[in-house]
Coordinates of all heavy atoms in Angstrom, one line a residue:
M1 N -24.4 -113.7 -166.1 CA -23.3 -113.6 -165.1 C -23.4 -114.8 -164.1 O -24.5 -115.1 -163.6 CB -23.4 -112.2 -164.6 CG -22.4 -111.9 -163.5 SD -22.0 -110.2 -163.4 CE -22.9 -109.7 -162.0
H2 N -22.4 -115.2 -163.7 CA -22.3 -116.4 -162.9 C -21.8 -115.9 -161.4 O -20.9 -115.2 -161.4 CB -21.4 -117.4 -163.3 CG -21.4 -118.7 -162.6 ND1 -20.5 -118.9 -161.5 CD2 -22.1 -119.8 -162.7 CE1 -20.8 -120.1 -161.0 NE2 -21.8 -120.7 -161.7
R3 N -22.6 -116.2 -160.4 CA -22.2 -115.9 -159.0 C -21.2 -116.9 -158.5 O -21.4 -118.1 -158.7 CB -23.4 -116.0 -158.1 CG -24.2 -114.7 -158.2 CD -25.3 -114.7 -157.2 NE -25.1 -115.5 -156.0 CZ -26.1 -115.7 -155.1 NH1 -27.3 -115.2 -155.2 NH2 -25.8 -116.4 -154.0
A4 N -20.2 -116.4 -157.8 CA -19.2 -117.3 -157.2 C -19.8 -117.9 -156.0 O -20.6 -117.4 -155.2 CB -18.0 -116.5 -156.6
G5 N -19.6 -119.2 -155.9 CA -20.3 -120.0 -154.8 C -19.3 -120.7 -154.0 O -18.0 -120.8 -154.4
G6 N -19.6 -121.5 -153.0 CA -18.8 -122.3 -152.2 C -17.6 -121.4 -151.6 O -17.9 -120.3 -151.1
S7 N -16.5 -122.1 -151.2 CA -15.4 -121.5 -150.5 C -14.8 -120.3 -151.3 O -14.4 -119.3 -150.8 CB -14.3 -122.5 -150.2 OG -13.7 -122.9 -151.4
I8 N -14.8 -120.4 -152.6 CA -14.3 -119.3 -153.5 C -15.1 -118.0 -153.3 O -14.7 -117.0 -153.1 CB -14.3 -119.6 -155.0 CG1 -13.1 -120.7 -155.2 CG2 -13.9 -118.4 -155.8 CD1 -13.1 -121.3 -156.6
G9 N -16.5 -118.2 -153.2 CA -17.4 -117.1 -153.1 C -17.3 -116.6 -151.7 O -17.4 -115.3 -151.6
T10 N -17.1 -117.4 -150.7 CA -16.9 -116.9 -149.4 C -15.6 -116.1 -149.2 O -15.5 -115.0 -148.6 CB -16.8 -118.1 -148.3 OG1 -18.1 -118.8 -148.5 CG2 -16.8 -117.6 -146.9
Q11 N -14.5 -116.6 -149.9 CA -13.3 -115.9 -149.8 C -13.4 -114.6 -150.5 O -12.9 -113.5 -150.1 CB -12.2 -116.7 -150.6 CG -11.6 -117.8 -149.7 CD -10.6 -118.6 -150.6 OE1 -10.8 -118.7 -151.8 NE2 -9.6 -119.1 -149.9
K12 N -14.1 -114.6 -151.6 CA -14.3 -113.2 -152.3 C -15.2 -112.3 -151.6 O -14.8 -111.1 -151.5 CB -15.0 -113.6 -153.8 CG -15.1 -112.4 -154.6 CD -13.8 -112.1 -155.2 CE -13.9 -111.0 -156.3 NZ -12.5 -110.5 -156.7
A13 N -16.2 -112.7 -151.0 CA -17.0 -111.9 -150.0 C -16.1 -111.3 -148.9 O -16.2 -110.1 -148.6 CB -18.2 -112.6 -149.5
A14 N -15.3 -112.1 -148.2 CA -14.4 -111.6 -147.2 C -13.4 -110.6 -147.7 O -13.2 -109.6 -147.0 CB -13.7 -112.9 -146.6
E15 N -12.9 -110.9 -148.9 CA -12.0 -109.9 -149.4 C -12.6 -108.6 -149.8 O -12.1 -107.5 -149.5 CB -11.4 -110.5 -150.7 CG -10.3 -109.8 -151.4 CD -9.8 -110.4 -152.7 OE1 -9.7 -111.6 -152.7 OE2 -9.5 -109.6 -153.6
L16 N -13.8 -108.6 -150.4 CA -14.6 -107.4 -150.6 C -14.9 -106.7 -149.4 O -14.8 -105.4 -149.3 CB -15.9 -107.7 -151.4 CG -15.6 -108.2 -152.9 CD1 -16.9 -108.6 -153.5 CD2 -15.0 -107.1 -153.7
I17 N -15.3 -107.3 -148.4 CA -15.6 -106.6 -147.1 C -14.4 -106.0 -146.5 O -14.5 -104.9 -146.0 CB -16.3 -107.6 -146.1 CG1 -17.6 -108.1 -146.5 CG2 -16.4 -107.1 -144.7 CD1 -18.3 -109.2 -145.8
S18 N -13.3 -106.7 -146.5 CA -12.0 -106.1 -146.0 C -11.6 -104.9 -146.8 O -11.2 -103.9 -146.2 CB -11.0 -107.2 -146.2 OG -9.7 -106.7 -145.7
Q19 N -11.8 -105.0 -148.1 CA -11.4 -103.8 -149.0 C -12.3 -102.6 -148.7 O -12.0 -101.4 -148.6 CB -11.3 -104.1 -150.4 CG -10.2 -105.0 -150.8 CD -10.3 -105.4 -152.2 OE1 -11.2 -105.2 -152.9 NE2 -9.2 -106.2 -152.8
A20 N -13.6 -102.9 -148.5 CA -14.6 -101.9 -148.2 C -14.3 -101.2 -146.9 O -14.4 -100.0 -146.9 CB -16.0 -102.4 -148.2
K21 N -13.9 -101.9 -145.9 CA -13.6 -101.3 -144.6 C -12.4 -100.4 -144.7 O -12.4 -99.3 -144.1 CB -13.3 -102.5 -143.6 CG -14.5 -103.1 -143.1 CD -14.1 -104.3 -142.1 CE -15.3 -105.0 -141.6 NZ -15.0 -106.1 -140.7
R22 N -11.4 -100.8 -145.5 CA -10.3 -99.9 -145.6 C -10.6 -98.7 -146.5 O -10.1 -97.6 -146.2 CB -9.1 -100.8 -146.3 CG -8.4 -101.5 -145.3 CD -7.0 -102.0 -146.0 NE -7.2 -102.6 -147.3 CZ -7.4 -103.9 -147.5 NH1 -7.3 -104.8 -146.5 NH2 -7.5 -104.3 -148.8
S23 N -11.4 -98.8 -147.5 CA -11.8 -97.7 -148.3 C -12.5 -96.7 -147.7 O -12.4 -95.4 -147.8 CB -12.4 -98.1 -149.6 OG -13.7 -98.6 -149.3
V24 N -13.6 -97.1 -146.9 CA -14.4 -96.1 -146.0 C -13.4 -95.4 -145.0 O -13.5 -94.2 -144.8 CB -15.4 -96.9 -145.3 CG1 -16.1 -95.9 -144.3 CG2 -16.4 -97.4 -146.2
G25 N -12.5 -96.1 -144.5 CA -11.5 -95.4 -143.5 C -10.6 -94.4 -144.2 O -10.3 -93.4 -143.7
D26 N -10.4 -94.8 -145.4 CA -9.4 -93.9 -146.1 C -10.1 -92.5 -146.5 O -9.5 -91.6 -146.4 CB -9.0 -94.6 -147.6 CG -7.9 -95.7 -147.3 OD1 -7.4 -95.7 -146.2 OD2 -7.8 -96.4 -148.3
V27 N -11.4 -92.7 -146.8 CA -12.2 -91.5 -147.1 C -12.3 -90.6 -145.8 O -12.2 -89.4 -145.9 CB -13.6 -91.9 -147.7 CG1 -14.5 -90.7 -147.8 CG2 -13.4 -92.6 -149.0
T28 N -12.7 -91.3 -144.8 CA -12.8 -90.5 -143.5 C -11.4 -89.9 -143.1 O -11.4 -88.8 -142.7 CB -13.2 -91.6 -142.4 OG1 -14.4 -92.2 -142.8 CG2 -13.5 -90.8 -141.1
A29 N -10.4 -90.6 -143.3 CA -9.0 -90.1 -142.9 C -8.8 -88.9 -143.7 O -8.1 -88.0 -143.3 CB -8.0 -91.2 -142.9
L30 N -9.1 -89.0 -145.0 CA -8.7 -87.9 -145.9 C -9.5 -86.7 -145.6 O -9.0 -85.5 -145.6 CB -9.1 -88.3 -147.4 CG -8.8 -87.3 -148.4 CD1 -7.3 -86.9 -148.5 CD2 -9.3 -87.8 -149.8
A31 N -10.8 -86.8 -145.3 CA -11.6 -85.6 -144.9 C -11.1 -85.1 -143.5 O -11.0 -83.9 -143.4 CB -13.0 -86.1 -144.7
E32 N -10.7 -86.0 -142.6 CA -10.2 -85.4 -141.4 C -8.8 -84.7 -141.6 O -8.6 -83.6 -141.0 CB -9.9 -86.6 -140.4 CG -9.5 -86.0 -139.0 CD -9.5 -87.2 -138.1 OE1 -10.4 -88.2 -138.1 OE2 -8.7 -87.2 -137.1
A33 N -8.0 -85.2 -142.6 CA -6.7 -84.6 -142.8 C -6.9 -83.2 -143.5 O -6.2 -82.3 -143.2 CB -5.9 -85.5 -143.7
K34 N -7.9 -83.1 -144.3 CA -8.2 -81.8 -145.0 C -8.6 -80.8 -143.9 O -8.2 -79.7 -144.0 CB -9.3 -82.0 -146.0 CG -8.9 -82.6 -147.3 CD -10.0 -82.7 -148.3 CE -9.5 -83.4 -149.6 NZ -10.7 -83.5 -150.5
R35 N -9.5 -81.2 -143.0 CA -9.9 -80.3 -141.9 C -8.7 -79.9 -141.0 O -8.7 -78.7 -140.7 CB -11.0 -81.0 -141.0 CG -12.3 -81.0 -141.7 CD -13.4 -81.4 -140.7 NE -13.2 -82.6 -140.1 CZ -13.6 -83.9 -140.5 NH1 -14.3 -84.0 -141.7 NH2 -13.3 -85.0 -139.9
D36 N -7.8 -80.8 -140.7 CA -6.6 -80.4 -140.0 C -5.8 -79.5 -140.7 O -5.3 -78.5 -140.2 CB -5.8 -81.7 -139.7 CG -6.4 -82.6 -138.5 OD1 -7.3 -82.0 -137.8 OD2 -6.1 -83.8 -138.5
L37 N -5.7 -79.7 -142.0 CA -4.8 -78.8 -142.8 C -5.4 -77.4 -142.9 O -4.8 -76.4 -142.8 CB -4.6 -79.4 -144.3 CG -3.8 -78.6 -145.2 CD1 -2.4 -78.4 -144.6 CD2 -3.7 -79.3 -146.5
E38 N -6.7 -77.3 -143.0 CA -7.4 -76.0 -143.1 C -7.3 -75.2 -141.7 O -7.0 -74.2 -141.7 CB -8.9 -76.3 -143.3 CG -9.2 -76.6 -144.8 CD -10.7 -77.0 -145.0 OE1 -11.5 -77.0 -144.0 OE2 -11.0 -77.3 -146.2
R39 N -7.4 -76.1 -140.6 CA -7.1 -75.5 -139.3 C -5.8 -74.9 -139.2 O -5.5 -73.8 -138.6 CB -7.5 -76.4 -138.2 CG -7.3 -76.0 -136.8 CD -7.5 -77.1 -135.7 NE -6.6 -78.2 -136.0 CZ -5.3 -78.2 -135.6 NH1 -4.8 -77.1 -135.0 NH2 -4.6 -79.2 -135.8
L40 N -4.8 -75.7 -139.6 CA -3.4 -75.2 -139.5 C -3.1 -74.0 -140.3 O -2.3 -73.2 -139.9 CB -2.5 -76.5 -139.9 CG -2.4 -77.6 -138.9 CD1 -1.6 -78.7 -139.5 CD2 -1.8 -77.1 -137.6
I41 N -3.7 -74.0 -141.6 CA -3.4 -72.8 -142.4 C -4.1 -71.6 -141.7 O -3.5 -70.5 -141.8 CB -4.1 -73.1 -143.8 CG1 -3.2 -74.0 -144.5 CG2 -4.1 -71.7 -144.6 CD1 -3.8 -74.5 -145.8
E42 N -5.3 -71.8 -141.2 CA -5.9 -70.6 -140.4 C -5.1 -70.2 -139.2 O -4.9 -68.9 -139.1 CB -7.3 -71.0 -139.9 CG -8.3 -71.1 -141.1 CD -9.7 -71.7 -140.7 OE1 -9.8 -72.0 -139.4 OE2 -10.5 -71.9 -141.5
E43 N -4.5 -71.1 -138.6 CA -3.7 -70.7 -137.4 C -2.4 -70.1 -137.8 O -2.0 -69.0 -137.2 CB -3.4 -72.0 -136.6 CG -2.6 -71.7 -135.3 CD -2.3 -73.0 -134.6 OE1 -2.8 -74.1 -134.8 OE2 -1.5 -72.9 -133.5
Y44 N -1.8 -70.5 -138.9 CA -0.7 -69.9 -139.4 C -1.0 -68.4 -139.9 O -0.2 -67.5 -139.5 CB -0.1 -70.7 -140.7 CG 0.9 -70.1 -141.5 CD1 2.3 -70.0 -141.0 CD2 0.5 -69.4 -142.7 CE1 3.2 -69.4 -141.8 CE2 1.6 -68.6 -143.4 CZ 2.8 -68.6 -143.0 OH 3.9 -68.0 -143.7
E45 N -2.1 -68.3 -140.5 CA -2.4 -66.9 -141.1 C -2.7 -65.9 -139.8 O -2.4 -64.8 -139.8 CB -3.7 -67.0 -141.9 CG -3.3 -67.6 -143.3 CD -4.6 -67.9 -144.2 OE1 -5.7 -67.8 -143.5 OE2 -4.4 -68.2 -145.3
R46 N -3.3 -66.6 -138.8 CA -3.6 -65.8 -137.6 C -2.1 -65.4 -136.9 O -2.0 -64.2 -136.5 CB -4.4 -66.5 -136.6 CG -4.8 -65.8 -135.3 CD -5.6 -66.6 -134.3 NE -5.0 -67.9 -134.1 CZ -4.0 -68.0 -133.1 NH1 -3.6 -67.0 -132.4 NH2 -3.5 -69.1 -132.8
I47 N -1.3 -66.3 -136.8 CA 0.0 -65.9 -136.3 C 0.8 -65.0 -137.1 O 1.5 -64.0 -136.6 CB 0.9 -67.3 -136.1 CG1 0.2 -68.1 -135.0 CG2 2.4 -67.0 -135.8 CD1 0.7 -69.5 -134.9
V48 N 0.7 -65.0 -138.4 CA 1.4 -64.0 -139.3 C 0.8 -62.6 -139.1 O 1.6 -61.8 -139.0 CB 1.3 -64.5 -140.8 CG1 1.7 -63.4 -141.7 CG2 2.1 -65.7 -141.1
E49 N -0.5 -62.5 -138.9 CA -1.2 -61.3 -138.7 C -0.7 -60.8 -137.3 O -0.3 -59.5 -137.1 CB -2.7 -61.4 -138.6 CG -3.2 -61.6 -140.0 CD -4.7 -61.7 -140.0 OE1 -5.4 -61.5 -138.9 OE2 -5.4 -62.3 -140.9
M50 N -0.6 -61.6 -136.3 CA -0.1 -61.1 -135.1 C 1.4 -60.7 -135.1 O 1.7 -59.5 -134.5 CB -0.2 -62.3 -133.9 CG -1.6 -62.7 -133.5 SD -1.7 -64.1 -132.5 CE -0.5 -63.7 -131.2
L51 N 2.3 -61.4 -135.8 CA 3.6 -60.9 -135.9 C 3.7 -59.6 -136.7 O 4.6 -58.8 -136.3 CB 4.4 -62.1 -136.6 CG 4.6 -63.3 -135.9 CD1 5.3 -64.4 -136.7 CD2 5.5 -63.0 -134.6
E52 N 2.9 -59.5 -137.7 CA 3.0 -58.2 -138.4 C 2.5 -57.0 -137.5 O 3.1 -55.9 -137.6 CB 2.0 -58.3 -139.7 CG 2.6 -59.1 -140.8 CD 1.7 -59.4 -141.9 OE1 0.4 -59.0 -141.8 OE2 2.1 -60.0 -142.9
K53 N 1.5 -57.3 -136.7 CA 1.0 -56.2 -135.8 C 2.1 -55.9 -134.8 O 2.4 -54.7 -134.4 CB -0.3 -56.7 -135.1 CG -1.0 -55.7 -134.1 CD -2.2 -56.3 -133.6 CE -2.8 -55.2 -132.7 NZ -4.0 -55.7 -132.0
M54 N 2.9 -56.9 -134.3 CA 3.8 -56.7 -133.3 C 5.0 -56.0 -133.9 O 5.6 -55.2 -133.3 CB 4.3 -58.0 -132.7 CG 3.2 -58.7 -131.8 SD 3.7 -60.5 -131.4 CE 5.2 -60.3 -130.6
Q55 N 5.4 -56.3 -135.2 CA 6.4 -55.5 -135.8 C 6.2 -54.1 -136.0 O 7.0 -53.2 -135.8 CB 6.7 -56.2 -137.3 CG 7.9 -55.6 -138.0 CD 8.1 -56.3 -139.2 OE1 7.2 -56.9 -139.8 NE2 9.4 -56.1 -139.8
K56 N 4.8 -53.8 -136.4 CA 4.4 -52.4 -136.6 C 4.6 -51.6 -135.2 O 5.0 -50.5 -135.1 CB 3.1 -52.3 -137.1 CG 3.0 -52.7 -138.6 CD 1.5 -52.6 -139.1 CE 1.4 -53.1 -140.5 NZ 0.0 -53.1 -141.0
Q57 N 4.0 -52.3 -134.2 CA 4.1 -51.7 -132.8 C 5.5 -51.4 -132.4 O 5.9 -50.5 -131.8 CB 3.4 -52.6 -131.8 CG 1.8 -52.7 -132.0 CD 1.2 -53.6 -131.0 OE1 1.9 -54.6 -130.6 NE2 -0.1 -53.5 -130.9
S58 N 6.4 -52.5 -132.6 CA 7.9 -52.3 -132.3 C 8.5 -51.1 -132.9 O 9.3 -50.4 -132.4 CB 8.6 -53.6 -132.6 OG 8.1 -54.6 -131.9
L59 N 8.2 -51.1 -134.3 CA 8.8 -49.9 -135.0 C 8.3 -48.6 -134.6 O 9.0 -47.6 -134.5 CB 8.5 -50.1 -136.5 CG 9.2 -51.2 -137.2 CD1 8.7 -51.4 -138.7 CD2 10.7 -51.0 -137.2
A60 N 7.0 -48.6 -134.2 CA 6.5 -47.3 -133.7 C 7.1 -46.9 -132.4 O 7.5 -45.7 -132.1 CB 4.9 -47.5 -133.4
I61 N 7.3 -47.9 -131.5 CA 8.1 -47.6 -130.3 C 9.5 -47.3 -130.5 O 10.0 -46.3 -129.8 CB 8.0 -48.9 -129.4 CG1 6.6 -49.1 -128.9 CG2 9.0 -48.7 -128.1 CD1 6.4 -50.4 -128.2
L62 N 10.2 -47.9 -131.4 CA 11.5 -47.5 -131.8 C 11.8 -46.1 -132.3 O 12.7 -45.4 -132.1 CB 12.2 -48.5 -132.8 CG 12.6 -49.9 -132.3 CD1 13.0 -50.8 -133.4 CD2 13.7 -49.6 -131.2
N63 N 10.6 -45.7 -133.1 CA 10.7 -44.4 -133.7 C 10.6 -43.3 -132.6 O 11.0 -42.2 -132.8 CB 9.7 -44.2 -134.7 CG 9.9 -45.0 -135.9 OD1 11.2 -45.2 -136.3 ND2 8.9 -45.2 -136.7
E64 N 10.2 -43.7 -131.4 CA 10.0 -42.7 -130.3 C 11.3 -42.6 -129.5 O 11.5 -41.7 -128.7 CB 8.9 -43.2 -129.3 CG 7.6 -43.1 -130.0 CD 6.4 -43.6 -129.1 OE1 6.7 -43.9 -127.9 OE2 5.3 -43.7 -129.6
I65 N 12.2 -43.5 -129.6 CA 13.5 -43.7 -128.9 C 14.5 -42.8 -129.6 O 14.8 -43.0 -130.9 CB 14.0 -45.0 -128.7 CG1 12.9 -45.8 -128.0 CG2 15.3 -45.1 -128.0 CD1 13.2 -47.3 -127.8
P66 N 15.2 -41.8 -129.0 CA 16.1 -41.0 -129.6 C 17.4 -42.0 -130.0 O 17.6 -42.8 -129.4 CB 16.6 -40.1 -128.5 CG 15.6 -40.1 -127.5 CD 14.9 -41.4 -127.6
M67 N 17.9 -41.7 -131.2 CA 19.0 -42.4 -131.8 C 18.7 -43.9 -132.1 O 19.7 -44.7 -132.2 CB 20.3 -42.3 -130.8 CG 20.7 -40.9 -130.6 SD 22.2 -40.7 -129.7 CE 23.4 -41.6 -130.7
A68 N 17.5 -44.3 -132.2 CA 17.1 -45.7 -132.4 C 17.6 -46.0 -133.9 O 18.0 -47.2 -134.0 CB 15.7 -45.9 -132.2
S69 N 17.5 -45.1 -134.8 CA 17.8 -45.5 -136.1 C 19.4 -45.8 -136.2 O 19.7 -46.7 -136.9 CB 17.4 -44.4 -137.1 OG 18.1 -43.2 -136.8
Q70 N 20.2 -45.0 -135.5 CA 21.6 -45.3 -135.4 C 21.9 -46.7 -134.8 O 22.7 -47.4 -135.3 CB 22.3 -44.2 -134.7 CG 22.4 -42.9 -135.4 CD 21.2 -42.0 -135.1 OE1 20.3 -42.4 -134.4 NE2 21.2 -40.8 -135.6
L71 N 21.2 -47.0 -133.7 CA 21.4 -48.2 -133.1 C 21.0 -49.4 -134.0 O 21.7 -50.4 -134.1 CB 20.7 -48.4 -131.8 CG 21.1 -47.4 -130.7 CD1 20.1 -47.5 -129.5 CD2 22.5 -47.8 -130.1
R72 N 19.9 -49.2 -134.8 CA 19.5 -50.3 -135.7 C 20.5 -50.5 -136.8 O 20.9 -51.6 -137.3 CB 18.0 -50.0 -136.3 CG 16.9 -50.3 -135.3 CD 15.7 -50.2 -136.0 NE 15.3 -48.7 -136.4 CZ 14.3 -48.2 -136.9 NH1 13.4 -48.9 -137.3 NH2 14.3 -46.9 -137.0
S73 N 21.1 -49.4 -137.3 CA 22.1 -49.6 -138.4 C 23.3 -50.3 -137.9 O 24.0 -51.0 -138.5 CB 22.5 -48.2 -138.9 OG 23.1 -47.4 -137.9
I74 N 23.6 -50.1 -136.6 CA 24.8 -50.8 -136.0 C 24.4 -52.3 -135.9 O 25.3 -53.1 -136.2 CB 25.1 -50.2 -134.6 CG1 25.8 -48.9 -134.8 CG2 26.2 -51.2 -134.0 CD1 25.9 -48.0 -133.4
L75 N 23.2 -52.7 -135.4 CA 22.8 -54.1 -135.2 C 22.6 -54.7 -136.6 O 22.9 -56.0 -136.6 CB 21.5 -54.1 -134.4 CG 21.6 -53.6 -133.0 CD1 20.2 -53.7 -132.3 CD2 22.5 -54.6 -132.2
Q76 N 22.4 -54.0 -137.6 CA 22.1 -54.6 -138.9 C 23.4 -55.2 -139.4 O 23.5 -56.1 -140.3 CB 21.6 -53.7 -140.0 CG 20.1 -53.4 -139.6 CD 19.4 -52.4 -140.6 OE1 20.2 -51.7 -141.3 NE2 18.1 -52.2 -140.5
R77 N 24.5 -54.7 -139.1 CA 25.9 -55.2 -139.5 C 26.2 -56.5 -139.0 O 26.9 -57.3 -139.6 CB 27.0 -54.3 -139.0 CG 26.9 -52.8 -139.6 CD 28.0 -51.9 -139.1 NE 27.7 -50.6 -139.5 CZ 28.2 -49.5 -139.1 NH1 29.1 -49.7 -138.1 NH2 28.0 -48.3 -139.5
F78 N 25.5 -57.0 -137.9 CA 25.8 -58.4 -137.3 C 24.8 -59.3 -137.9 O 24.0 -59.8 -138.0 CB 25.7 -58.2 -135.8 CG 26.7 -57.3 -135.2 CD1 26.3 -56.1 -134.8 CD2 28.1 -57.7 -135.1 CE1 27.3 -55.2 -134.2 CE2 29.0 -56.9 -134.6 CZ 28.7 -55.6 -134.1

């Protein structure tokens, strides 16, 4: 195998260093993006749980109100 020398070798080395810097950054950015996505999914799931709990609480309160079912049937038409 023959090593590149002179200006061609220097150019090749500079090109390899440049590509290595980008590839390391790409790996780091990908790992960070995965962590962000995991965090967003966890937050979404937490919000969905909160909304489900609020919906159950709202229905429980509505069931205590006289004629609430009739009012809900009227509102569902809109």
Side-chain angles (χ1 to χ4, degrees):
M1 182 151 100
H2 185 273
R3 277 183 30 187
S7 64
I8 294 174
T10 305
Q11 282 179 327
K12 187 69 173 173
E15 186 180 321
L16 289 171
I17 290 170
S18 175
Q19 289 177 359
K21 286 180 182 178
R22 282 195 306 267
S23 69
V24 169
D26 290 344
V27 172
T28 303
L30 179 61
E32 187 174 325
K34 285 181 180 179
R35 284 192 300 273
D36 285 344
L37 184 58
E38 288 171 356
R39 182 186 56 78
L40 289 170
I41 289 170
E42 288 172 2
E43 185 176 349
Y44 170 79
E45 290 172 348
R46 183 181 56 81
I47 291 171
V48 167
E49 287 178 17
M50 288 173 54
L51 289 172
E52 288 173 352
K53 183 178 179 182
M54 291 169 61
Q55 183 180 19
K56 288 179 184 177
Q57 291 173 341
S58 298
L59 289 174
I61 292 170
L62 281 174
N63 288 334
E64 295 175 9
I65 299 173
M67 298 183 65
S69 61
Q70 289 86 356
L71 292 172
R72 278 189 291 182
S73 67
I74 293 170
L75 292 175
Q76 288 175 350
R77 294 179 190 164
F78 299 102

